[in-house]
Amino acid sequence: MTPFEVKDCALLARMSGLPPAINLRELRDRIAVCGENVLFHHFCETTLRGTFDNPDYRNDFAVWSKLYLGDRVLAERLGILDPYEFPSLGELRAATLEVIDERLGESTTIPWARPGDEIYFMEATTVVFDTGIRISHPGEFAAAIGSMTGGSVYYHFLEARRRSPFGRDDFTAWLLENDEGGKNRPYIEALARIDFYFHTLHHLRKELIKVLSALEDTK
Amino acid sequence: MNVPLGAYEGIVGPAVLRGLRQLGEKLAGTRVVHVNSTREGGGVAEILEWMTPIMRELGLNASWEVINGTPRFFEITKAIHNGLQGAHVDIPVKGWKTYEDVNARNFKRLRPILEAADIVFIHDPQPAHLLRLCTRRKGKWIWRAHIDISRPFRPVWKVLRSLVEPFDASIFSMPQFAQPLPHPQFLVPPSIDPLSEKNRDLPAAELEAVQTQYGLDPSRPLLVQISRFDRFKDPVGVVAAYRMVRKVAPVQLVLAGGGATDDPEGKAVLEDVLEAAGNDPDVHVLLLPPDSHKTVNALQRMATIILQKSTREGFGLTVTEGMWKGKPVIGGDVGGIRLQVVNHHTGFLVNTPEGAAHRIRFLLHHQEGIDRMGTTAREFVRENFLLTRHIREYLTLMLVTLHSDRGNLVEV
């Protein structure tokens, strides 16, 4: 069995090259043409930024709609979009545009932000480090996750879904690869039940430890 | 100051240093040259003072070069600096010629090292003309803008833009500070050094000495704003907020900063602040010399609440410093303060003296809130705004720039 290699990661952000948006129409136009990395950054990499308990929404577009456009209806509709539910970023883009178009259709004026409150479009390079930590048995996961950084949890449980095999976290991929006789099924099923997108990394780590520890306790 | 990287392990943990060393291994032997215009004074020199030795410790062949200029050159570059920040300045053709001549003289001296470098970081506008002169360069050149050029005076930006467009990449502190340029624009926020004189832990005796020196009462709450006497920092608004709180709570206020003596605008602001303070013995307006790092450190550590009620702000490193000392910050809802102060988590964002007074009173009634927000603030800085994150981003962008084929995922 090849041991699971624990990695850590950090982001280096850069401007996307798109001009900032100051109103909902401009937000729509930028989302329609931006690169997929930009979409991924504002929907998924937000988790790696400093976050706090009970943030309102997990994507930048919903937060901007609430704080700077003052449109709570739009913020709620954008805020519920779970990027990991879509088979591709292209489909996430289409769903986001649909929400915005619906709102533009309902509005008598185009919601706008004050100068200085524009939204900027960015993307990031992910830099991945080898922590030197190895896990060789599924029973070790809970303890190992307990001492992982937020970057490790993000890289293995969230960012992994963007890599091949698409949509699968690294823990599950490793458990499937090493699933002799179906003995890893309980771990795989427990991980699949986690409603991960709306957690902060802090809470996601707690949830991972909880479900994996529960399996050990039942042994 | 040459603090070895290992000294930070107790603050950021071994994993962070291990990551930096892995990045260093990938870049071992890379010839890196930083160029700026001053060896001492100012934020850029402070950064290069720690960054260059740490890069060397990580195995890079890093050096720091300073261009020499005439008083006229620095008058011109000061005008360029002000123009980039939006001031309507008049820089005659002769002035730009002086700028180019001084760069050319420095290029003669720096030519071998600049031509041989793998990466050259040009800090701010003063040495930006060097790229045009270095026609035999073989490395990548990166322009680091430390200032806010979001709303520049167009005639100045037009000239400078022609100088920075040919760079391979640029770095800005925040997206709001950037200008469209035809190359990658990285975002690297500034940072603080937790072991510097301004931020290191201080023994109780040193705090007491500052307390005694300025006649502060340790038994009563203390509000502290550290900043230049500048209208955009709204010190008069801070005094107004203090007055609203003073009616109901026995607070003291310290407004401390420098930069008023040689700056006519600063002098006028200081006079306004002194007038607003009147003869209230609980308002301490302190004009500090630029090297008063330990005094600033002590005042921030003695504070109950840190204020930074700016109406316009760059990144706001005084906010970072206050948060690192475990204090909640009540800050203006502008610029980089928004990146640091999160309502109910690390402090409060406010727009008016009334808003500041309201939040001060709230916190004074909730000591547990002060403690909780202070703890969160310190951890937030540990994660995001210490020099180890800053150096990691520089090393990463060097890797990305040297190997542009690496895409959006770089494994080290």
Side-chain angles (χ1 to χ4, degrees), chain A residues 7-8 10-15 17 37 48-54 68 114-118 120 122-133 149 155 159 162-163, chain B residues 15 18-20 22-23 151 172 174-178 184-188 333 338 340 342 345-346 351 376 380 384 392-394 396-397 399-400 407-412:
Chain A
K7 304 281 177 81
D8 194 359
L11 298 182
L12 173 65
R14 62 179 184 276
M15 305 293 282
N37 282 328
L48 254 191
R49 277 192 236 135
T51 51
F52 295 91
D53 295 342
N54 308 314
Y68 301 112
R114 291 181 311 171
D117 290 340
E118 298 90 346
Y120 289 81
M122 290 170 279
E123 55 190 311
T125 298
T126 308
V127 55
V128 185
F129 307 97
D130 184 354
T131 64
I133 299 165
T149 63
Y155 180 73
E159 202 275 344
R162 203 185 174 198
R163 287 179 263 125
Chain B
R18 190 168 49 234
L20 291 180
Q22 284 174 19
L23 278 165
R151 292 188 199 123
F172 292 91
M174 303 201 302
Q176 290 82 352
F177 289 5
Q185 293 171 274
F186 295 103
L187 298 167
V188 179
D333 187 7
R338 283 178 176 174
Q340 305 181 70
V342 182
H345 293 288
T346 60
N351 298 285
T376 310
F380 191 55
N384 298 288
R392 184 190 72 215
E393 293 184 337
Y394 264 70
T396 308
L397 78 85
L399 263 183
V400 171
N408 285 308
L409 196 76
V410 176
E411 286 218 44
V412 297

